[in-house]
Amino acid sequence: MTIAQIEEQFESEWILVEDPQTDEALDIQSGKVLWHSKDRDEVYRKAVELRPKRFAMLYTGQIPENTAIAL
């Protein structure tokens, strides 16, 4: 799926993407959706369970102000 399709189908959800295709800036362009949920921890648990070789996690909603993000 393309990133536009993912964002349209899974609004304001956490997405586990297998084999993400990225651009030069490493922004996700497409990939296979393995799991999605409104609950971030559920997606993390699924990633541990499935153990994909190459994956990315993304959020399709707006991140609230005053939210810290650790990479």
Side-chain angles (χ1 to χ4, degrees), residues 3 7 20-31 54 56 58:
I3 192 66
E7 288 174 344
Q21 303 302 308
T22 59
D23 63 13
E24 309 80 42
L26 299 180
D27 291 326
I28 299 170
Q29 301 299 303
S30 64
R54 191 166 169 270
L58 60 104

Side-chain angles (χ1 to χ4, degrees), residues 32-50:
K32 179 182 176 184
V33 174
L34 290 181
W35 197 260
H36 62 94
S37 175
K38 299 256 183 212
D39 181 353
R40 180 189 63 183
D41 292 338
E42 181 181 337
V43 177
Y44 286 156
R45 286 190 297 270
K46 201 63 172 178
V48 169
E49 176 187 328
L50 295 175

